[in-house]
Amino acid sequence: MKLIRQGLRGQHADIVDQHRNYLPNFIIIGAAKSATTTLSTILPQHPDIFISKPKEPKFFGRNYDKGWEWYASRFQKGEHFALRGEASTMYASGLKSFKSTAQLMHQYLPDLKLIYIVRHPLDRIVSQWRHYSSPGRNPDCAEFDQLMRDRRLRRLIVGCSLYYERLSAFRRYYPDDQIHCMTFEDLLDSPKHSLRSLMRFLGVKPKIKKLLDSDGRLPRENQAGDKGRGYVEKPEWNNRLKRRVLRKIRPDAEKMLAYMGKPSDYWAL
């Protein structure tokens, strides 16, 4: 926290300037389980785009104490690319360790372009809970029907579906013309259109064919049960839990859809 406080005061500007030539110029900020891994996997197929390794450095928060040299080194191989990016979904998580993310980011990278991809809020909650509760990850994870009773699940998993609230933290520092919002559903249903729009926002030639499978489809990555985490059965919503969660997220979802220019029934909540 001490380093973050120093960072918010601009005390790391000198070291940041030493690495300015290869720091990121775009970041995918979330939302978790909304195809962020898919995006970060296909974007490097474009000849002008470099994605950090790991793709989620989680620097502007939990890993800020690793220092700017460490963060910059994630992008050094991309120095000669027009675009360098990363995809840390925790930036839009609402967790305490990332509460200063937007301000800290803007302090040193005010020209960043931000990408925020969102998904039907209830579907995203189910997917994140399955990921979070999978064997070996969080053995003390509460059952799905305890979402609103368990403080951590309520803050992390339900909270990540409060898209407009999460986005508003970034809009306090970044203008709307530096923010591109898209939906999981549009990306899957109309990948060419969604990716062309994203390429226009990033300012590079589309070259969409390089990003898709040979049949023009979007590769799917990081689904529940992937990467040896173990399969987790899809939970069912009971009526009481669903009503409680919808009371929490529906007003926010309506604001988010209006902001994106989507009809209010786009997600049929």
Side-chain angles (χ1 to χ4, degrees):
M1 286 301 296
K2 180 180 179 181
L3 282 176
I4 288 180
R5 288 194 295 270
Q6 291 175 350
L8 292 172
R9 292 195 292 267
Q11 291 179 222
H12 304 143
D14 289 346
I15 191 164
V16 172
D17 287 341
Q18 294 174 26
H19 304 285
R20 183 71 63 184
N21 289 341
Y22 47 88
L23 286 172
N25 43 28
F26 78 93
I27 292 180
I28 301 169
I29 59 173
K33 309 311 295 180
S34 299
T36 58
T37 296
T38 297
L39 275 183
S40 64
T41 299
I42 65 174
L43 286 180
Q45 307 309 312
H46 191 289
D48 296 326
I49 299 177
F50 175 87
I51 295 288
S52 68
K53 291 184 180 181
K55 63 103 174 174
E56 291 196 74
K58 303 173 186 175
F59 179 65
F60 295 99
R62 184 180 300 163
N63 287 336
Y64 195 73
D65 61 353
K66 291 189 176 183
W68 277 95
E69 294 95 339
W70 175 85
Y71 186 59
S73 70
R74 308 300 97 185
F75 303 93
Q76 196 161 7
K77 292 182 180 179
E79 181 174 5
H80 301 297
F81 285 74
L83 294 170
R84 297 170 300 279
E86 56 131 312
S88 297
T89 59
M90 287 293 98
Y91 292 159
S93 68
L95 292 178
K96 289 183 178 179
S97 54
F98 293 92
K99 67 178 181 179
S100 300
T101 291
Q103 184 181 355
L104 189 60
M105 219 179 251
H106 186 263
Q107 177 70 43
Y108 299 101
L109 302 173
D111 298 324
L112 268 179
K113 291 187 175 183
L114 305 177
I115 300 167
Y116 192 36
I117 181 167
V118 296
R119 178 182 184 180
H120 188 296
L122 297 183
D123 292 348
R124 198 213 61 78
I125 286 171
V126 167
S127 184
Q128 189 179 9
W129 180 84
R130 293 176 75 193
H131 175 107
Y132 188 78
S133 65
S134 58
R137 292 190 62 88
N138 296 284
D140 297 327
C141 178
E143 294 297 320
F144 185 73
D145 61 7
Q146 300 299 307
L147 272 177
M148 296 299 286
R149 295 182 179 179
D150 185 276
R151 173 186 280 185
R152 181 167 178 81
L153 293 188
R154 188 171 65 246
R155 184 172 63 243
L156 173 62
I157 296 181
V158 178
C160 280
S161 276
L162 294 171
Y163 304 135
Y164 192 78
E165 179 179 303
R166 301 278 82 84
L167 180 62
S168 294
F170 289 87
R171 292 181 70 206
R172 283 196 284 271
Y173 298 95
Y174 290 94
D176 285 342
D177 62 5
Q178 287 177 229
I179 300 172
H180 181 77
C181 294
M182 54 196 299
T183 71
F184 172 94
E185 293 81 9
D186 285 352
L187 181 61
L188 265 58
D189 293 343
S190 305
K192 292 181 181 178
H193 176 78
S194 295
L195 290 172
R196 284 194 188 100
S197 178
L198 177 57
M199 294 301 110
R200 284 196 297 270
F201 169 72
L202 291 174
V204 293
K205 293 181 179 180
K207 299 185 179 180
I208 300 304
K209 288 184 179 180
K210 295 180 180 291
L211 311 185
L212 302 174
D213 288 342
S214 57
D215 57 2
R217 295 181 180 179
L218 189 75
R220 294 287 296 277
E221 303 284 342
N222 202 28
Q223 300 180 68
D226 282 355
K227 299 182 180 177
R229 287 191 294 266
Y231 180 79
V232 176
E233 197 70 38
K234 185 176 180 180
E236 296 292 333
W237 289 97
N238 65 60
N239 290 334
R240 184 171 181 272
L241 175 62
K242 190 172 183 178
R243 285 196 301 270
R244 288 191 67 188
V245 171
L246 283 175
R247 279 198 299 270
K248 178 75 172 176
I249 66 175
R250 181 181 277 124
D252 183 274
E254 290 173 350
K255 291 178 182 178
M256 188 65 192
L257 290 172
Y259 174 77
M260 293 188 294
K262 298 288 187 183
S264 58
D265 60 351
Y266 178 81
W267 284 319
L269 294 174

